[in-house]
Amino acid sequence: MDDTQVLVVIAVTLAAVELLAGVTFGWWWRGNRSAAAEGQSEDSKRARAALEQLHELASNVAANVGEHSSRVQAISGELTAAQNGDGGVGSAVLGTVAQIIEANERMQHQLDSAKNKLNEQAALIEQHVAVAKTDALTGIANRRAFDENMTQRLCEWHRKGTALSLIMLDVDRFKQCNDTYGHQAGDELLKLVAQVLVRTMREMDVVARYGGEEFAIIVPSSKLREALPGAERARRAIVAASTMFDGKKLQVTASLGVAQALEGEEAASLIRRADEALYTAKKNGRNRTFLHDGAVTVPAVEERTTAPHATTAKPAPAAKKEPVATTEEEKVTDGNLDDQTGLPSRTAFCEEVRRRLSESLVYNTDLALAMVRIDNFNGLVRQQGPAAGNAALRGLAKFLGAAVPELHVLGQCETQTFGLLLPGLSAENSCKLAERLRQSVARCPIRTKDAELALTVSIGITNLTSGDDSTSLIKRAETAASDAAATGGNCTYSSSGQGSEPVTTGELAGTGS
């Protein structure tokens, strides 16, 4: 290798070092901010160390290039002096060539060393990138990897028209499993579901843990009708799978929602539609697949043609299901609709609270929850009979549904208590709305065939705060409603997590919303 070749190799190597260092810094800067949110501070430290080593390596190579250039210039000067001197050029040339060979060998050794270090650093960076995009529990793609892949696939859809579908999957009654068997058992079930999905879906599909017990599957180059068989295949495989924990055989089912990207649609809208189909599947009995066609949610065609499948070799009668611990959210009724009002039951309502809460946390939006309790309901039933009580319930349900047109969910939480879920309302506006509802109920009697029922209500209102889950949110609203009733009723109490306090009519002055 002559001097020109050596210098070319040095220049290329130095450029590679500088380029890799720049890429590394860009990756570390973006990854470090996400790592702070994901608890990966140790990975960030390692990435920083790798970056510092790359900078040191680049500096050393640059210094060596300068030293080598100076030596070559000195050697050239010696040759010139020998040629103009006493004629002893032969011995001088031999000595000079020997020095050049020695310098080249030394530089070649340095280049080989630099190449090895670069390979080591590249492998380390690749490892950190993989860790940053992998869910620690299940070993599949995490939310960050899902978001990046979704953005890429949607760009392809918008640019090239390449079809794209999304499957959202949620493990049924996962909280009850945790309550019954413990969180470690729940972790094992999440690992099982992840393994089943990876094994069942196509290699090109992206299986990710979206959050908690919810999974997301990006199905590229697939229209809705092409994604549905895969979704049903995954659902059946989950039913058939099981895992052992503490001597017990654990099995779960899952509900799925499927949607195809529409023209001009962004990620948030596609996810929302698939999630809406998922919730409809849960509301209609769980362990089902629903699709969102852009306008409505309907059962997947494959569900209506698939024969029932056994979850064990010897199916047990439906009435002999293994008992599961009942949560506070589901202690009143196990149906989807209340018999008297036709509204979602407590179970269905609490499912929606949980889903909307997850959305609010993901998109950082407000979420308010109100509990509306009929004052002296038992006295009304004693004095005027059960028919009057039923009329009051049905009438108030219709009134609330008509009075709040933007309302997402109205549910029957207890015999005399309705739940109002109000996404997008701040604490201030939710208090205003709750107090207006209370005043309107007091002014508008419920008319029946035989009489008018003058009702008043006690309302408890609360908003989502940091650290809330659906149970704490519901309990806080119910406590505020009980506090309002305990003062004599016909008032509104709000709670922010530090006790409840009355909402006064003075707080509504001058409001127009």
Side-chain angles (χ1 to χ4, degrees):
M1 179 184 294
D2 58 26
D3 281 352
T4 302
Q5 291 173 320
V6 170
L7 292 175
V8 169
V9 172
I10 292 172
V12 172
T13 304
L14 183 57
V17 172
E18 292 173 343
L19 176 61
L20 185 55
V23 171
T24 304
F25 181 77
W27 169 81
W28 176 83
W29 177 247
R30 294 190 300 271
N32 194 42
R33 292 185 295 178
S34 297
E38 300 176 10
Q40 297 178 351
S41 59
E42 190 61 31
D43 290 334
S44 299
K45 293 178 182 178
R46 292 186 184 133
R48 186 192 294 272
L51 179 63
E52 291 174 351
Q53 291 179 37
L54 279 174
H55 282 309
E56 181 182 357
L57 179 61
S59 298
N60 290 340
V61 171
N64 289 334
V65 169
E67 181 183 351
H68 187 75
S69 177
S70 298
R71 291 179 64 100
V72 170
Q73 290 178 3
I75 292 169
S76 176
E78 292 180 16
L79 284 173
T80 302
Q83 185 176 7
N84 297 329
D86 57 4
V89 177
S91 59
V93 169
L94 290 177
T96 302
V97 169
Q99 293 180 51
I100 292 175
I101 293 174
E102 180 184 356
N104 283 346
E105 289 176 348
R106 187 161 49 249
M107 182 56 68
Q108 185 62 54
H109 176 74
Q110 292 173 345
L111 289 174
D112 291 340
S113 177
K115 180 180 178 180
N116 292 335
K117 288 183 179 180
L118 283 174
N119 290 337
E120 292 174 3
Q121 297 301 324
L124 181 59
I125 291 170
E126 185 176 352
Q127 178 184 354
H128 283 297
V129 171
V131 169
K133 296 183 179 182
T134 302
D135 178 64
L137 176 65
T138 62
I140 61 176
N142 61 12
R143 177 64 183 275
R144 177 183 177 185
F146 168 82
D147 289 341
E148 291 182 2
N149 198 282
M150 175 62 73
T151 299
Q152 176 186 348
R153 297 296 182 179
L154 278 173
C155 287
E156 292 177 358
W157 157 238
H158 295 154
R159 188 174 66 256
K160 302 178 181 179
T162 306
L164 173 66
S165 292
L166 175 66
I167 301 172
M168 299 298 291
L169 179 151
D170 191 89
V171 179
D172 295 328
R173 301 189 185 279
F174 184 73
K175 185 177 187 301
Q176 294 184 30
C177 175
N178 277 341
D179 292 342
T180 304
Y181 302 112
H183 289 279
Q184 288 184 337
D187 288 348
E188 292 303 314
L189 284 172
L190 291 177
K191 293 178 185 178
L192 173 67
V193 171
Q195 293 167 4
V196 170
L197 292 177
V198 171
R199 186 171 63 247
T200 305
M201 302 306 296
R202 304 173 304 176
E203 186 175 352
M204 65 187 297
D205 299 332
V206 179
V207 179
R209 186 180 177 192
Y210 191 75
E213 65 271 24
E214 193 168 10
F215 295 80
I217 306 168
I218 299 175
V219 191
S221 304
S222 299
K223 297 182 178 180
L224 196 58
R225 66 175 179 270
E226 298 165 334
L228 287 175
E232 270 296 279
R233 188 169 61 248
R235 184 186 65 79
R236 291 193 296 267
I238 291 172
V239 171
S242 64
T243 186
M244 298 298 297
F245 179 80
D246 198 20
K248 298 182 181 66
K249 183 179 180 181
L250 302 181
Q251 291 178 282
V252 292
T253 62
S255 300
L256 294 85
V258 189
Q260 178 185 342
L262 304 176
E263 184 175 356
E265 188 169 34
E266 298 301 327
S269 174
L270 177 59
I271 294 170
R272 179 188 58 77
R273 290 195 299 111
D275 216 30
E276 186 175 333
L278 163 62
Y279 171 69
T280 306
K282 281 187 171 292
K283 188 175 179 180
N284 284 272
R286 300 181 178 87
N287 191 24
R288 303 186 68 185
T289 301
F290 270 62
L291 63 90
H292 195 296
D293 63 2
V296 296
T297 55
V298 295
V301 175
E302 287 74 11
E303 274 195 355
R304 296 197 287 262
T305 59
T306 302
H309 50 275
T311 57
T312 60
K314 193 173 183 179
K320 294 184 178 179
K321 293 179 181 178
E322 185 176 357
V324 178
T326 303
T327 66
E328 283 295 313
E329 295 179 4
E330 300 181 315
K331 64 183 178 183
V332 176
T333 175
D334 194 35
N336 287 320
L337 298 177
D338 180 78
D339 293 336
Q340 292 296 331
T341 63
L343 295 175
S345 66
R346 183 183 179 91
T347 298
F349 180 76
C350 292
E351 287 275 4
E352 182 68 2
V353 171
R354 176 184 164 279
R355 190 174 77 90
R356 299 285 183 167
L357 184 147
S358 298
E359 288 182 355
S360 295
L361 293 176
V362 169
Y363 297 108
N364 194 28
T365 57
D366 290 317
L367 179 67
L369 175 64
M371 290 293 172
V372 182
R373 178 173 176 173
I374 300 177
D375 293 328
N376 196 28
F377 180 78
N378 293 333
L380 172 66
V381 174
R382 284 195 302 269
Q383 293 173 10
Q384 303 188 39
N390 292 337
L393 291 174
R394 290 193 296 269
L396 184 57
K398 291 180 180 179
F399 177 85
L400 292 174
V404 190
E406 72 272 25
L407 181 67
H408 285 261
V409 179
L410 171 62
Q412 182 86 36
C413 289
E414 292 182 3
T415 303
Q416 67 193 72
T417 304
F418 295 86
L420 301 178
L421 188 60
L422 303 163
L425 280 187
S426 65
E428 179 183 2
N429 288 333
S430 63
C431 286
K432 295 174 184 177
L433 176 60
E435 184 61 6
R436 284 203 179 91
L437 285 176
R438 181 195 65 78
Q439 295 173 0
S440 298
V441 171
R443 289 194 299 263
C444 302
I446 304 297
R447 291 180 173 83
T448 68
K449 291 187 298 183
D450 303 322
E452 289 186 347
L453 302 175
L455 301 180
T456 62
V457 293
S458 299
I459 301 181
I461 185 78
T462 190
N463 273 68
L464 180 65
T465 60
S466 176
D468 264 334
D469 57 18
S470 57
T471 301
S472 63
L473 189 67
I474 292 171
K475 184 176 181 180
R476 201 161 61 243
E478 289 178 332
T479 299
S482 297
D483 291 344
T487 64
N490 195 21
C491 61
T492 301
Y493 269 57
S494 65
S495 175
S496 60
Q498 302 295 328
S500 55
E501 57 185 15
V503 176
T504 64
T505 54
E507 295 174 6
L508 302 177
T511 61
S513 57

